[in-house]
Amino acid sequence: MNTPPRPGHAPVDVAVIGAGVVGSAIARALSGHELDVALLDARQDVGDGTSKANTAILHTGFDATPGTLESRLVREGYQLLREYADRTGVPYEPTGAVLVAWDDEQLTALPGLREKAERNGYRETELIDAEEVYRLLPGLGPGVLGGLTVPGESIICTWTTSLALATDAVNRGTRLLRAHRVESVCPGDGYTVLHTSQGEIRARWVVNAAGLGSDTLDAHFGFDRFHLNPRRGELLVYDKQARPLADRIVLPVPSKLGKGVLISPTIYGNVMLGPTAEDLTDRTDSSTTEDGYAFLLEKGQRIMPELVREEVTAAYAGLRAASDVPDYTVEVSAERRYAVAGGIRSTGLTSAMAVAEHLVRLLGEAGLPLTVRPNLPAPPVMPNIGEAATRPYEDAERIARDPEYGVVTCFCERVTRGEIRDALNSTIPARDLGGLRRRTRAMNGRCQGFYCGAEVTGMLEDALGQEGDPGTTPTGCRSLPTAPSADCRTAPDGRGDIRCRAAADGESPAGTQAGTGTDTANQATEATRPADTTGEESKR
């Protein structure tokens, strides 16, 4: 769905730039009021930047820095997102996590981490000895000295989270404008003009949730308060046969060198190893590397030797926004009628709904009229693409009502024609193969689309039909960079890349491609690489 600007180009009340998980949550919260809201993104889909490329952990916030805005919003967001997932069907699993100590320094650090968790309001951690660690995780390598359990840590579908929030926003009246790259901004007395790749958008208030491009956009509103660099994280996704080895999240004990490499099950039945953590200057470089692959195998051999003997379904990389400010930047300027949610690091998946509530309160205090909209529609019920609940292919009653749910198209992931059809005809339909993968898991399995790619691509092309070019780039004042730093790449044909490629744009943990991102940051953990590598993050 791409809703056009209103007739006469009258200003919208609020334009939210960036349709990642944070921007979508903000648009949803704003559209719960009597406001005309537009949600813009440079890409062809919502949640198509860093929001899709992370470790997909619903985080308790036990290890956040106490007293920070991030700590509070992660704690609040954890509860909000769990409740929202229960209402909308966003798949998540409360697997729990264990921090594993491999040396005396790490073992000594565990009591301090427990105390830190309590200062953050989380009191369910428990110190355990090596015997108990091996009982919980018998596949770990030799040398474990002890651990700390964090039973509230969960895995979640980051793709469905972003899509649910954006769908909810659209159902509440938000106008979604995909493939609208903001190229320049012209603040005025009554409104700001956003020059986009598809024409002008005028807005009385502007909210910057542009992820990896949020510092650049912030500067064009006259601010110099935080600076971002892209942090690349590479991950390996193992085949579903490896899932019995890791039924909970295995976390490293953070050190002054970084957060380290984790092992985590995924909602889709796989196991993920990573991420690396490498600070870059190129905001588009989401390539995977030979060094990253070797580094992860070395770490995996130490943590869980049996895992690295399993088949790797995919290797991918994602970029997240690493800020030089040690906390979230969530601020509002009443004078400029402008707000920013920037530097939302890897915890953004968990905190997104709380960030939205916090920012809307600040906007109200700054003068944005907030009249609650009556009779809001119920939240959407999202298709289940997780393994913990019944999938369409195994639902006999559903198949009896609609036989298309009994026709399997993607055999690796058991995705049916009915699911693909639904994804192409939903409130926010998929416009490219990446969007279909995120909505259905099609082409995400062992063969990476080798067998089903032609049929899935054909269904996509039939749905797209003769859709025209979304528009040309207007000129404007205060030009923003044309490189993907502000929002991300757009396919040359204006519709998205519909080629079948096993490593195209960095999806997430069921086994997909190599990732990129710019809209907002998500859950990920940091690892330190030898010598010249110090980065983090990735998908699923």
Side-chain angles (χ1 to χ4, degrees):
M1 177 173 185
N2 222 43
T3 340
R6 41 185 190 178
H9 298 286
V12 298
D13 293 318
V14 187
V16 181
I17 302 172
V21 68
V22 172
S24 296
I26 292 169
R28 172 189 173 273
L30 286 168
S31 57
H33 301 82
E34 296 284 1
L35 295 169
D36 184 14
V37 179
L39 176 61
L40 291 71
D41 201 275
R43 286 179 173 249
Q44 294 287 340
D45 202 4
V46 300
D48 194 18
T50 52
S51 294
K52 73 182 178 190
N54 58 83
T55 52
I57 295 176
L58 179 57
H59 190 34
T60 59
F62 76 95
D63 63 345
T65 302
T68 59
L69 179 63
E70 178 181 19
S71 172
R72 177 170 70 84
L73 296 183
V74 170
R75 183 173 65 251
E76 294 174 2
Y78 173 80
Q79 297 297 335
L80 290 171
L81 185 50
R82 281 188 58 150
E83 293 168 5
Y84 191 70
D86 287 335
R87 295 182 67 191
T88 59
V90 172
Y92 76 97
E93 296 179 40
T95 59
V98 180
L99 280 84
V100 178
W102 298 91
D103 58 38
D104 290 334
E105 180 182 356
Q106 294 176 3
L107 186 65
T108 303
L110 292 179
L113 287 169
R114 184 182 188 185
E115 179 185 347
K116 188 178 189 180
E118 292 176 349
R119 291 170 62 196
N120 282 318
Y122 187 77
R123 295 176 174 81
E124 298 178 20
T125 61
E126 181 183 356
L127 292 166
I128 58 176
D129 60 20
E131 182 179 358
E132 179 65 8
V133 173
Y134 281 118
R135 189 188 71 79
L136 295 174
L137 293 160
L140 291 178
V144 171
L145 299 182
L148 180 72
T149 63
V150 190
E153 297 286 284
S154 304
I155 56 175
I156 191 168
C157 180
T158 180
W159 302 334
T160 310
T161 301
S162 296
L163 185 60
L165 292 166
T167 299
D168 208 352
V170 169
N171 289 343
R172 291 176 169 201
T174 289
R175 285 173 298 129
L176 175 62
L177 302 174
R178 293 187 278 181
H180 278 64
R181 179 187 302 283
V182 175
E183 296 172 338
S184 65
V185 299
C186 292
D189 291 336
Y191 52 81
T192 295
V193 178
L194 304 174
H195 295 289
T196 82
S197 54
Q198 295 199 51
E200 289 185 359
I201 303 294
R202 293 188 287 172
R204 295 185 178 90
W205 289 77
V206 174
V207 175
N208 173 5
L212 195 50
S214 57
D215 59 337
T216 302
L217 186 58
D218 197 53
H220 284 271
F221 279 89
F223 294 98
D224 182 21
R225 48 190 163 186
F226 69 101
H227 308 92
L228 304 177
N229 67 272
R231 181 164 292 169
R232 178 173 61 190
E234 301 178 50
L235 294 98
L236 301 180
V237 179
Y238 285 87
D239 189 75
K240 291 174 173 56
Q241 293 185 13
R243 178 63 186 264
L245 293 172
D247 62 355
R248 66 197 69 213
I249 304 163
V250 182
L251 295 174
V253 177
S255 72
K256 56 188 175 183
L257 296 177
K259 287 188 175 181
V261 169
L262 63 80
I263 291 174
S264 176
T266 76
I267 282 293
Y268 321 103
N270 303 85
V271 176
M272 182 176 59
L273 170 66
T276 61
E278 183 179 3
D279 288 329
L280 306 176
T281 56
D282 183 352
R283 299 191 183 203
T284 69
D285 185 3
S286 60
S287 58
T288 56
T289 66
E290 185 177 347
D291 286 347
Y293 188 83
F295 174 76
L296 290 177
L297 288 181
E298 179 186 352
K299 289 293 184 181
Q301 181 65 38
R302 168 74 190 278
I303 300 169
M304 191 172 284
E306 291 182 60
L307 177 63
V308 298
R309 291 194 285 270
E310 296 288 337
E311 291 189 26
V312 173
T313 298
Y316 69 89
L319 300 176
R320 77 171 176 88
S323 178
D324 60 355
V325 174
D327 201 356
Y328 291 175
T329 300
V330 183
E331 299 178 11
V332 174
S333 169
E335 178 185 2
R336 293 174 173 84
R337 302 180 308 283
Y338 166 75
V340 61
I344 310 296
R345 61 190 106 257
S346 60
T347 50
L349 171 62
T350 301
S351 66
M353 296 184 74
V355 169
E357 289 191 356
H358 176 67
L359 185 61
V360 169
R361 283 195 297 269
L362 294 180
L363 286 166
E365 294 169 1
L368 177 67
L370 293 177
T371 301
V372 175
R373 189 187 301 274
N375 303 317
L376 287 173
V381 177
M382 305 303 294
N384 171 52
I385 61 173
E387 289 296 304
T390 302
R391 299 275 305 285
Y393 77 89
E394 55 189 352
D395 188 338
E397 292 184 7
R398 189 171 188 176
I399 294 169
R401 293 193 303 268
D402 186 342
E404 288 289 89
Y405 293 116
V407 181
V408 175
T409 297
C410 172
F411 285 89
C412 294
E413 297 296 306
R414 297 178 176 85
V415 180
T416 67
R417 282 185 61 87
E419 292 171 274
I420 296 172
R421 175 203 62 199
D422 293 348
L424 293 169
N425 293 278
S426 59
T427 301
I428 305 175
R431 283 182 158 183
D432 55 25
L433 283 180
L436 270 181
R437 297 173 86 134
R438 290 188 293 276
R439 286 163 176 79
T440 67
R441 287 171 46 183
M443 300 170 55
N444 280 2
R446 275 189 170 195
C447 80
Q448 291 287 290
F450 182 84
Y451 289 102
C452 67
E455 183 175 357
V456 173
T457 301
M459 293 180 70
L460 172 65
E461 290 176 331
D462 288 345
L464 290 175
Q466 300 299 315
E467 193 173 299
D469 191 301
T472 57
T473 302
T475 58
C477 49
R478 290 192 186 177
S479 295
L480 297 177
T482 57
S485 58
D487 287 298
C488 266
R489 293 188 294 244
T490 305
D493 65 356
R495 299 185 309 174
D497 187 350
I498 59 171
R499 294 169 294 167
C500 175
R501 290 172 51 194
D505 70 346
E507 297 307 300
S508 256
T512 43
Q513 315 147 310
T516 77
T518 61
D519 51 10
T520 185
N522 269 354
Q523 198 75 35
T525 15
E526 294 193 347
T528 299
R529 299 264 302 275
D532 59 344
T533 44
T534 59
E536 121 158 25
E537 167 160 353
S538 242
K539 319 185 340 161
R540 292 184 183 178

